[in-house]
Amino acid sequence: MTTLDPKLKAAARTVAAHAYVPYSDFPVGAALKTADGRVFTGCNVENRSYPLGMCGERNAIGAAAAAGVRPGEIRELVIYMPGDRLFSPCGGCRQVIAEFLPADARVWATNDGVSFKEWTAEELLPDGFSFDGLEPSV
């Protein structure tokens, strides 16, 4: 079993303080580590059109992608939420996680306490949608 990286937890907690959450009042921060050791963070950003809000997980992965990180290069993702309850990533985040993290990459949910939940990317979205094996139509 792997262990939760305290530096990633601290980075996720720090960025959660920058979340824009006037509607849910539920700040979430995410920090990820790439195969070469780079760390990227993101927080949730809400707006009045709820479906257009962005989760911390997707913002962290988007920041990594903007820096040139490609699918398969992210090794670990930590999601921080305040309080004592833990939640898993939403469905949209699960799809993005499935596309950018290898199936065996670790995803952690953590909070202000010492508790955490741990999954592999594949456990979060078993049999996720993929274009693998499909022939392009020309």
Side-chain angles (χ1 to χ4, degrees):
M1 179 175 149
T2 58
T3 58
L4 176 62
D5 182 336
K7 291 180 183 177
L8 281 181
K9 178 179 178 176
R13 184 177 183 174
T14 297
V15 75
H18 300 292
Y20 178 70
V21 291
Y23 308 103
S24 72
D25 195 32
F26 186 69
V28 174
L32 63 83
K33 188 187 303 183
T34 62
D36 62 6
R38 290 182 291 166
V39 173
F40 296 90
T41 61
C43 60
N44 54 332
V45 179
E46 299 175 348
N47 65 69
R48 288 185 185 116
S49 179
Y50 296 127
L52 297 180
M54 288 293 292
C55 298
E57 301 93 307
R58 283 183 278 152
N59 278 332
I61 292 169
V69 174
R70 292 293 157 242
E73 296 177 4
I74 298 170
R75 296 294 182 250
E76 186 171 9
L77 173 65
V78 175
I79 307 153
Y80 163 83
M81 56 217 63
D84 58 359
R85 294 188 61 197
L86 293 171
F87 300 94
S88 66
C90 74
C93 286
R94 288 175 188 226
Q95 181 63 41
V96 175
I97 288 167
E99 291 190 32
F100 272 87
L101 279 68
D104 63 347
R106 296 287 178 212
V107 179
W108 306 83
T110 186
N111 57 23
D112 291 319
V114 296
S115 62
F116 61 86
K117 289 185 178 182
E118 175 189 8
W119 308 270
T120 63
E122 185 173 44
E123 288 171 337
L124 283 173
L125 190 64
D127 299 322
F129 179 78
S130 171
F131 286 121
D132 292 343
L134 294 178
E135 294 294 324
S137 59
V138 180

